[in-house]
Amino acid sequence: MIPGADDAITRDGKALILAYDHGLEHGPVDFEPVPATTDPSTVFDVGTHDAVTAVAVQKGVAEAYYPSYEDDVTLLAKLNGTSNLWMGEPDSAVNWSVDYAAEVGADAIGFTFYGGSNHEVEMAEEFRRAQEKAREHDMGVVMWSYPRGQGLKDDTSPDTIAYASRLGLELGADIAKVKYPGSPDAMNWAVQSAGDMKVVMSGGSKTSDEAFLSTVREAMDAGASGLAVGRNVFQRENPEAILDGLEAVIFDDASVDEALAA
Ligand code: FBP
């Protein structure tokens, strides 16, 4: 972690990253609730909302669509990713170089790291190359830190999520994105485990406005530095409304009731 390296993708030290790499990770099935989101322009439009500090996409989507949004959106290049069609032990292909991501206009890179996978060693070496190259370009580094693999019994237990955030600090991320471990105490343990590095909560599958904002409120109260979210925003008919609420909770310290009224 280098203090300030994430400045381009944070506001007041907090992040609201809109993730839209689901076409690769899960397939177009994630776009079925709101079919217009199959078109990346629809989600880039959402990403122009003031609350969004960066939009995370894969190479092909960035190449084709980011040029139309470069004045209004901060690009986070999701460097690696694997389809749901892959049936092996968790692994993630590096799909573009950091140099090329910088050329396309990215201010930060995102990298999935599956601690505990049989491929952990190779993934750590790939992360090392990407992280050091990102430093050359003054780009922020966000680790999607998702422990998983055949040896891991519970990938969201408090100790596992604390280990996930710690791996981000140890390996040189500026921000670690972790799954919510189920309680404020567990989230606080994950935040403490990361030292001065920022920890943001991962969105997860779509829930109600109240349930989602309550979980984000809990995470923020536990010391999280924001959110990286996909489906809980773009699978809503009115994504701007939930972004208004998230902006209130994350940046204005609003209660859930205040956020629901935002
Ligand atoms: P969501 O908020 O929709 O959960 O997105 C966050 C994210 O990390 C995406 O960047 C990624 O596509 C997806 O979750 C991967 O989820 P998983 O590996 O758990 O299926």
Side-chain angles (χ1 to χ4, degrees):
M1 181 203 71
I2 294 180
D6 56 33
D7 280 357
I9 57 162
T10 53
R11 194 217 300 177
D12 302 332
K14 294 171 189 155
L16 201 174
I17 297 164
L18 180 62
Y20 180 64
D21 57 339
H22 302 65
L24 174 62
E25 295 285 343
H26 298 161
V29 67
D30 276 7
F31 309 139
E32 283 174 9
V34 181
T37 60
T38 312
D39 179 352
S41 299
T42 304
V43 178
F44 268 109
D45 285 343
V46 174
T48 64
H49 189 291
D50 276 353
V52 176
T53 58
V55 174
V57 292
Q58 284 282 341
K59 177 174 72 175
V61 169
E63 273 183 329
Y65 295 89
Y66 182 63
S68 305
Y69 291 89
E70 60 187 2
D71 293 335
D72 302 308
V73 165
T74 299
L75 179 65
L76 192 161
K78 183 68 200 333
L79 230 56
N80 61 351
T82 301
S83 84
N84 243 352
L85 306 170
W86 166 255
M87 291 298 152
E89 180 74 358
D91 201 357
S92 195
V94 180
N95 301 316
W96 43 336
S97 68
V98 178
D99 285 340
Y100 188 57
E103 198 179 314
V104 174
D107 280 313
I109 61 161
F111 198 98
T112 295
F113 181 65
Y114 296 129
S117 160
N118 288 348
H119 299 293
E120 176 183 318
V121 172
E122 295 90 328
M123 293 189 86
E125 289 169 357
E126 289 163 358
F127 179 77
R128 183 246 302 163
R129 285 192 284 275
Q131 191 264 4
E132 292 180 4
K133 187 55 88 171
R135 295 298 177 225
E136 287 176 23
H137 288 281
D138 291 325
M139 295 163 92
V141 177
V142 182
M143 177 185 282
W144 274 227
S145 192
Y146 293 170
R148 58 180 66 160
Q150 60 183 5
L152 206 71
K153 299 282 174 286
D154 182 354
D155 58 12
T156 55
S157 77
D159 282 345
T160 300
I161 297 302
Y163 208 162
S165 64
R166 184 72 191 195
L167 289 174
L169 174 69
E170 299 284 345
L171 297 179
D174 300 305
I175 299 177
K177 166 186 190 316
V178 301
K179 306 264 182 193
Y180 188 66
S183 75
D185 281 354
M187 190 68 189
N188 184 253
W189 172 225
V191 170
Q192 298 302 326
S193 298
D196 286 341
M197 190 201 65
K198 295 186 174 90
V199 177
V200 299
M201 187 190 108
S202 191
S205 54
K206 190 185 156 208
T207 54
S208 72
D209 289 6
E210 186 170 2
F212 187 53
L213 290 168
S214 298
T215 307
V216 176
R217 183 68 270 164
E218 281 180 13
M220 296 303 293
D221 289 341
S225 296
L227 177 70
V229 57
R231 289 164 289 176
N232 260 299
V233 169
F234 71 69
Q235 288 185 347
R236 284 178 153 75
E237 288 296 341
N238 186 351
E240 284 77 16
I242 195 74
L243 285 172
D244 289 344
L246 290 170
E247 182 167 34
V249 168
I250 293 172
F251 299 103
D252 302 329
D253 205 23
S255 67
V256 173
D257 285 346
E258 288 166 341
L260 284 167

